[in-house]
């Protein structure tokens, strides 16, 4: 009998994900399913691609085309901690490139490579949507703001030593597998984690200024009907 690659738990979760989609639209479950297989294997392996294809009635080529398009799906063994250094314009001007070079020297790896102990994968990242805290580094997509080469190498040293330094914002750190499970749509089960980490002052600056100026957004009624699209020319 062919050996089952994925656990019964993953198989049950796959069914739960697929059931979230309307009849006939199940192939839309592909993105969370890819995160799910990554949560078990730490990467999207050929077995993971085959599993997703089998669950959704797609070809492996179709699944592979999606898995290779998005950088969040890892096609090679990846460390417990994915360290992404923003080297896009603003972060780079403020030292993002220096941070990347320091970590690269310290770990002895380049972009998309993993340290010898298998704990840390380093990557360049495009804008991480936190320019108001530049230069930023994320670990498994949690933010460490206003970094310097010294602060970043200390962060990575602590990760390799088994610590989980608290991100600047957001909940406490998790591993890449744990984060992949959350991205598949399963809430962080650690006590109180979902509510952790308020937004930082720069993020809230616009709200504070609007309050000072007495400016508010119009109220929103969630029951407002969505108007139908206008009929196209010639449609009956
Ligand atoms: S340029 Fe780095 S977060 Fe935007």
């Amino acid at each position: 009998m062919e050996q089952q690659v994925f656990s019964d738990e993953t198989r049950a979760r796959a069914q739960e994900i697929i059931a979230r989609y309307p009849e006939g639209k199940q192939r839309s479950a592909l993105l969370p399913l890819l995160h799910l297989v990554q949560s078990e294997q730490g990467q999207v392996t050929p077995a993971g691609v085959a599993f997703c294809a089998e669950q959704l009635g797609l070809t492996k080529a179709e699944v592979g085309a999606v898995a290779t398009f998005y950088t969040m799906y890892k096609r090679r063994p990846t460390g417990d901690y994915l360290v992404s250094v923003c080297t896009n314009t603003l972060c780079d001007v403020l030292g993002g490139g220096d941070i990347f070079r320091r970590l690269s020297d310290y770990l002895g790896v380049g972009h998309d490579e993993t340290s010898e102990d298998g704990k840390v994968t380093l990557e360049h990242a495009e804008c991480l949507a936190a320019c108001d805290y530049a230069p930023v580094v994320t670990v498994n997509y949690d933010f460490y703001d206003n970094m310097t080469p010294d602060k970043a190498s200390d962060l990575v040293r602590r990760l390799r030593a088994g610590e989980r330094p608290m991100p600047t914002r957001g909940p406490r750190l998790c591993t890449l597998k744990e984060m992949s499970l959350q991205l598949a749509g399963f809430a962080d089960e650690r006590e109180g984690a979902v509510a952790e980490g308020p937004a930082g002052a720069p993020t809230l600056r616009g709200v504070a200024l609007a309050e000072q100026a007495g400016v508010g957004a119009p109220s929103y009624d969630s029951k407002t009907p969505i108007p139908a699209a206008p009929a196209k020319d010639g449609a009956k």
Side-chain angles (χ1 to χ4, degrees), residues 112-124:
D112 199 22
E113 291 178 357
T114 300
S115 58
E116 255 182 37
D117 59 10
K119 291 207 169 125
V120 175
T121 297
L122 179 67
E123 68 176 9
H124 277 287

Side-chain angles (χ1 to χ4, degrees), residues 9 13 32 48 66 100 107 127 153 161 186 218-219 230:
E9 192 174 27
R13 282 179 168 142
V66 173
F100 185 88
L107 291 166
C127 180
S153 50
F186 296 90
S219 61

Side-chain angles (χ1 to χ4, degrees), residues 30-223:
L30 178 54
L31 298 183
L33 273 188
L34 285 164
H35 285 299
L36 180 70
V37 295
Q38 186 161 277
S39 78
E40 181 161 340
Q41 297 196 307
Q43 65 177 119
V44 178
T45 63
V49 169
F51 177 80
C52 293
E54 177 197 320
Q55 297 292 317
L56 297 174
L58 298 170
T59 66
K60 287 190 270 188
E62 286 171 323
V63 175
V66 173
T68 52
F69 182 80
Y70 295 105
T71 56
M72 288 171 84
Y73 301 123
K74 301 301 175 192
R75 305 304 305 277
R76 292 193 279 176
T78 302
D80 292 334
Y81 298 104
L82 173 67
V83 175
S84 311
V85 181
C86 180
T87 50
N88 211 302
T89 311
L90 184 56
C91 284
D92 201 28
V93 166
L94 294 172
D98 295 335
I99 292 170
F100 185 88
R101 282 186 285 280
R102 174 74 73 84
L103 294 185
S104 179
D105 288 348
Y106 173 67
L107 291 166
V109 300
H111 168 69
D112 199 22
E113 291 178 357
T114 300
S115 58
E116 255 182 37
D117 59 10
K119 291 207 169 125
V120 175
T121 297
L122 179 67
E123 68 176 9
H124 277 287
E126 297 302 326
C127 180
L128 291 167
C131 310
D132 39 359
Y133 303 94
V136 295
V137 169
T138 61
V139 179
N140 298 337
Y141 312 112
D142 276 326
F143 283 101
Y144 295 83
D145 299 333
N146 304 122
M147 294 303 276
T148 63
D150 285 348
K151 286 202 281 190
S153 50
D154 185 57
L155 169 64
V156 169
R157 179 192 60 73
R158 292 176 64 190
L159 292 172
R160 295 177 86 190
E163 294 179 45
R164 292 193 186 191
M166 192 67 191
T168 315
R169 295 170 284 127
R172 73 201 88 148
L173 194 60
C174 53
T175 64
L176 185 67
K177 287 182 178 177
E178 291 165 347
M179 179 53 85
S180 296
L181 188 58
Q182 290 176 40
L183 291 169
F186 296 90
D188 190 337
E189 289 183 345
R190 295 172 298 176
E191 180 71 31
V194 171
E196 278 176 345
T203 305
L204 299 173
R205 181 71 180 138
V207 177
L209 288 173
E211 277 173 3
Q212 276 170 27
V215 177
S219 61
Y220 165 69
D221 179 359
S222 62
K223 296 204 173 67

